[in-house]
Amino acid sequence: MSGRPIGDEVLVRRAARGVAVQAAALVAVAMLVLIALVTIVVVRGQTGAADDLLRSAVATADDVGDPPEGAWLVMTGPSGTSTSPGLPAELMPELTALRDRATGQVQLITVENDDGEYRVATGVTKGRQVQAVLSLATAHKERARLLLVMGFAAVLGLLLAGLLGVFIGRRAVRPLVQALTLQRAFVADAGHELRTPLTLLSTRAQVLGRSLRRSGASAEILDDADGVVGDTRRLAEVVDDLLAAADPRGSDNHESVDLVRIAQDVAHAAGAHAEQAGVRLHWTSDGDSAPAFGSPSAIRRATIALVDNAVDHTPRGGEVRIAVRRQRGDVILAVSDTGPGIGPEAAERVLRRFDSGGHRAGRKHYGLGLALAHDVANRLGGQLRLAPSEVGATFELVLPATRDDGPRNG
């Protein structure tokens, strides 16, 4: 499984598309509600007008020869039953059954057959049973034309809503684009200004190391000198990584990174800090290697930030442990401490920038370490999570394993 970094441009495009889709969806829902309301009003209006027409026809009927337009009359008297010309013969059985139940109050009912749908009013006028029958075909045709027009208007409205959504989306994310541009410019300028002093520092550290070797310094001093050279080299890698991240023309160069080697190097580099704080620092792994997909310098920065945070939250005599393990398609680097721990309510808050939390002493802290590790994990397609722990806190940096990692432990 290979991870795919999430770049700022991808996030901006996703945000723009999200705003566009939401705007179009709101317009579409509004139009559907409007169409539904118009349809309900029209249908009720047609039904009310038809019922008023039929009631009036029943109340004023004198003979079947002068029915309302589009309607027929059926009258039953002493001389028998008479109907208006053109009344469909298929309706006669239904009409007869309705006349048998006729009362002084006009009854309205809808009758359906193979020829269509009819509205029937049945009542008693001047001692005679009178029925008025209205074909609903004309009302259905008008309703169909109305729905067709509204459907066409809805399609046109959706197209306009989509265009409006794209326009609103671009306008909405424009401040975000400007902020990202300023951020990239700051990182690029700061990284460029740091490269020269770092190069000079690395050169002086190497010259100092060679001088110490010529003067016959002890192995411990030589080891510290080599550590300074290694640290300056890693700082240069950090600056290069920041410059690459700030370059909008390309993305980070991700590769297979051995998290076991990262854990070993970080434990060695942070040993002096832990020793000064009176904290034991060691690392373990369930294998000789654990390749993950990412940027070596970025993963090292995140790991150093986690270890630094753990050491600063661990009281003297405590312990910090770096553990690397494989789990399904991921490689997990966990940093545990024996400090006061983190409550569930603070789990999300500590990942924010400039939230340094509590229980810290010694150096001044700005609350950036965990936020940096969280950003690195997201950029590499992984995650930073707070794992359950009986003592202290355990943060897990989860990264996608490389495809050529071979068999993985489940």
Side-chain angles (χ1 to χ4, degrees), residues 200-262:
L200 295 175
L201 178 61
S202 177
T203 302
R204 290 181 178 180
Q206 294 177 42
V207 171
L208 177 61
R210 289 194 293 268
S211 299
L212 290 173
R213 282 185 172 82
R214 286 195 299 267
S215 63
S218 64
E220 183 179 358
I221 294 178
L222 292 176
D223 185 63
D224 289 339
D226 292 339
V228 173
V229 174
D231 289 341
T232 55
R233 183 174 63 251
R234 294 188 184 98
L235 282 175
E237 292 176 355
V238 170
V239 172
D240 290 339
D241 189 48
L242 292 175
L243 289 173
D247 187 359
R249 298 170 299 177
S251 59
D252 295 341
N253 294 322
H254 296 153
E255 58 190 63
S256 179
V257 182
D258 187 2
L259 263 63
V260 174
R261 180 66 180 273
I262 292 288

Side-chain angles (χ1 to χ4, degrees), residues 306-317:
L306 293 177
V307 172
D308 182 74
N309 178 77
V311 170
D312 288 342
H313 282 87
T314 302
R316 299 187 70 86

Side-chain angles (χ1 to χ4, degrees), residues 163-198:
L163 295 176
L164 178 63
V166 172
F167 174 75
I168 293 177
R170 291 180 177 176
R171 289 288 300 272
V173 301
R174 187 175 298 171
L176 177 60
V177 174
Q178 294 173 349
L180 289 174
T181 301
L182 292 175
Q183 178 183 341
R184 287 182 182 276
F186 171 76
V187 172
D189 293 344
H192 181 268
E193 293 300 321
L194 287 173
R195 292 187 72 178
T196 299
L198 280 176

Side-chain angles (χ1 to χ4, degrees), residues 26 63 96 116 138 155 208 252 268 308 322 366 388 402:
L26 288 176
D63 56 70
T96 300
T138 302
V155 173
L208 177 61
D252 295 341
H268 179 73
D308 182 74
I322 309 172
Y366 297 93
T402 54

Side-chain angles (χ1 to χ4, degrees), residues 259-260 263 284-287 289-292 321-336 385 387-388 394-399 401 405 409-410:
L259 263 63
V260 174
T284 61
S285 173
D286 64 357
S289 65
R321 183 167 63 93
I322 309 172
V324 180
R325 72 179 189 274
R326 298 175 179 138
Q327 186 176 21
R328 299 184 180 89
D330 296 323
V331 179
I332 300 176
L333 188 149
V335 177
S336 306
R385 63 193 184 194
T394 298
F395 282 95
E396 292 184 341
L397 180 64
V398 184
L399 298 174
D405 190 16
N409 298 331

Side-chain angles (χ1 to χ4, degrees), residues 287-300:
D288 295 333
S289 65
F293 184 82
S295 167
S297 58
I299 296 176
R300 184 179 290 109

